[in-house]
Amino acid sequence: LESTKLTVREAGRMMARYGTGTVVTDPHEIGNVAGLEGIEFQMNSAKGNGFINVCFVAPSCVPTLNDPSIETAPSDLSVDTLNRVAEHSSVVGLGEVMNVPGILMGDAGVHGKIEAYRKRGLVIDGHAPMVSGPALNACVYAGVQSDHESTSLEEAREKLRRGMVGIIREGASEKNLETLLPLINGRNTGRLMFASDDLDPSDMAKRGHINHLLSRAVALGIDPVTAIQMATLSPASYFGILHRVGAIYAGAQADLVIAPNLTEFMPDLVMHCGNIVFENGQMHETQVDDMPHLRPTMNVKLPKIDDLRILAASGDKIRVIELVPGQILTRQTICEAMLKDGEAVASPEHDLLKVCVFDRHRGSGSFGMGFVRGYGMKRGAVGSSVGHDSHNMVIVGTNDADILKCAELIRDLGG
């Protein structure tokens, strides 16, 4: 939900139009920005939204890293706090455990969170990109039950063989569906499911939601009923919500989708809790109580332009972040610094841009700088206060003046 950058109600309205009846979401981003207050805001927003059922997994890694020398985060959710979150009726598990090093090194906080939710009989979601062998065994042994980060067939196959539930995602920037579909063999669909992970609303408006994954899977040769199972029965079973939603029988919650075919999966009619919410191309508005509000969260102190200078000498080598098209993975490359008056600078003609990260949480004035390749920008700067997972302000630009101008605009807009 969070990557839609919409309130739960607005995201639900958009998703319901494409036949989604229930989402399982991790309020990890709002937890990093606003702590328990942000998580409770999200949960309260989900109540009676009128369009979809919302189940939550509690964010396991707030802050993302336990090293304040690496990044600035405003929140720290302890085991005690997460135990309070687990008492909420909409919570079905612990959100993706991203701190794999913490698992391997026996970090008491990480293992304490996993154990607290395992004792409650709730699922433990994983996040283990490119983790394999003994390290992967350790994650599974610690209690991690699923993974959605596989980008290659062999990686996903190894995780499935280790007993993990495989989540095949197709989001705005993470596109793994076509690569991972050969996993499906007709006998393992109960341990495979679909997810959008991070999906921008503009992409959802163009392509749809989970129905888009169904359509693509069928077009690529997957049996329609198998695909539907991976979008409905598999996740409902894994997250333990079959008693609430996901079936048609007497007494079940009437969340129904009627579609004209099993190739495009574009609904003609969608029902939520027995009420028609979408019919013949039109949304039916529902009545809700006043929605909650959350306080502003931008607290930025920007540096002076001279502070952004990176001094270098002829022949100096610099590390460069290299983007991988269509993926969230990046590579490191080493190149010679581009110099101007003894300063390492961006060079758009060499596809070398400057990237700055500014603390947006504490007004500390702290910031970091580096270089990035593969962005392709020729002039100006672009930035965002939405940046998984700590959501500090990130600006990429061709020059320092435009980087600061962009940062000032984001700050003045409130993010």
Side-chain angles (χ1 to χ4, degrees):
L1 276 176
E2 295 181 317
S3 293
T4 67
K5 296 175 282 289
L6 300 170
T7 63
V8 175
R9 178 170 166 80
E10 291 305 314
R13 177 190 279 114
M14 201 171 187
M15 292 171 180
R17 185 258 177 274
Y18 296 112
T20 297
T22 299
V23 296
V24 181
T25 184
D26 181 351
H28 172 81
E29 317 304 339
I30 206 165
N32 269 292
V33 172
L36 182 61
E37 179 187 358
I39 296 168
E40 290 176 338
F41 161 79
Q42 197 86 313
M43 290 177 169
N44 291 331
S45 298
K47 292 176 183 175
N49 68 81
F51 293 106
I52 56 172
N53 309 303
V54 184
C55 298
F56 290 92
V57 287
S60 65
C61 293
V62 177
T64 310
L65 302 173
N66 291 320
D67 187 347
S69 70
I70 294 176
E71 65 180 351
T72 304
S75 305
D76 189 352
L77 298 183
S78 65
V79 175
D80 289 342
T81 302
L82 289 180
N83 264 319
R84 286 168 54 195
V85 174
E87 294 170 0
H88 198 281
S89 60
S90 63
V91 172
V92 295
L94 186 67
E96 51 183 306
V97 181
M98 297 188 291
N99 193 351
V100 173
I103 291 176
L104 302 182
M105 298 300 291
D107 182 274
V110 176
H111 285 274
K113 293 172 184 178
I114 292 173
E115 191 59 27
Y117 274 66
R118 191 157 64 166
K119 283 181 178 177
R120 292 175 179 266
L122 302 175
V123 301
I124 313 295
D125 274 343
H127 170 111
M130 297 180 287
V131 177
S132 65
L136 182 60
N137 287 341
C139 290
V140 175
Y141 182 77
V144 175
Q145 296 169 274
S146 69
D147 184 84
H148 61 275
E149 292 289 339
S150 294
T151 55
S152 73
L153 185 58
E154 280 310 306
E155 179 183 0
R157 187 169 281 140
E158 182 184 4
K159 289 172 179 174
L160 205 59
R161 286 170 175 165
R162 293 290 185 274
M164 284 180 150
V165 170
I167 302 177
I168 299 174
R169 66 179 173 187
E170 190 84 354
S173 57
E174 312 95 340
K175 296 178 171 60
N176 310 127
L177 180 83
E178 189 168 350
T179 299
L180 301 184
L181 281 184
L183 277 175
I184 303 169
N185 61 21
R187 297 179 298 277
N188 60 8
T189 47
R191 300 193 64 78
L192 292 170
M193 68 183 81
F194 291 131
S196 62
D197 202 6
D198 301 314
L199 185 59
D200 190 89
S202 60
D203 291 302
M204 199 193 311
K206 293 173 191 170
R207 65 168 230 193
H209 193 225
I210 297 297
N211 65 322
H212 169 73
L213 279 74
L214 289 170
S215 178
R216 284 208 64 209
V218 170
L220 290 167
I222 301 301
D223 175 74
V225 174
T226 296
I228 290 170
Q229 177 185 348
M230 290 171 59
T232 57
L233 181 61
S234 292
S237 299
Y238 171 66
F239 288 107
I241 56 174
L242 273 177
H243 63 290
R244 304 188 210 176
V245 296
I248 302 173
Y249 58 84
Q253 183 171 307
D255 296 337
L256 306 175
V257 180
I258 297 175
N261 59 63
L262 298 183
T263 54
E264 296 174 350
F265 295 93
M266 288 298 291
D268 285 341
L269 183 143
V270 178
M271 296 181 72
H272 170 66
C273 295
N275 299 311
I276 295 174
V277 294
F278 177 80
E279 186 178 21
N280 298 325
Q282 298 293 321
M283 293 302 301
H284 289 213
E285 287 305 313
T286 56
Q287 296 296 319
V288 295
D289 297 331
D290 290 338
M291 301 303 287
H293 294 272
L294 186 66
R295 59 178 169 79
T297 58
M298 291 294 290
N299 184 14
V300 183
K301 180 183 178 183
L302 295 173
K304 293 181 171 59
I305 192 166
D306 285 345
D307 295 332
L308 298 184
R309 298 182 70 211
I310 300 176
L311 299 181
S314 178
D316 278 1
K317 302 291 185 181
I318 57 172
R319 287 190 177 92
V320 178
I321 301 167
E322 184 177 348
L323 305 185
V324 178
Q327 299 291 345
I328 59 171
L329 302 174
T330 58
R331 292 187 285 258
Q332 175 188 254
T333 59
I334 308 293
C335 71
E336 195 166 317
M338 300 294 169
L339 298 180
K340 182 179 180 182
D341 300 327
E343 179 184 350
V345 296
S347 178
E349 58 269 27
H350 295 95
D351 193 20
L352 185 68
L353 302 178
K354 198 168 187 177
V355 56
C356 295
V357 182
F358 303 103
D359 166 33
R360 58 73 62 91
H361 300 297
R362 300 180 179 177
S364 67
S366 66
F367 62 95
M369 299 180 292
F371 292 93
V372 62
R373 174 164 280 157
Y375 216 96
M377 187 164 53
K378 301 301 182 186
R379 61 186 177 89
V382 62
S384 178
S385 61
V386 177
H388 292 5
D389 292 288
S390 293
H391 300 281
N392 287 298
M393 192 191 299
V394 183
I395 316 289
V396 174
T398 58
N399 63 86
D400 293 348
D402 284 343
I403 286 173
L404 272 183
K405 194 172 187 178
C406 183
E408 289 166 358
L409 179 60
I410 292 172
R411 176 197 63 193
D412 295 344
L413 286 170

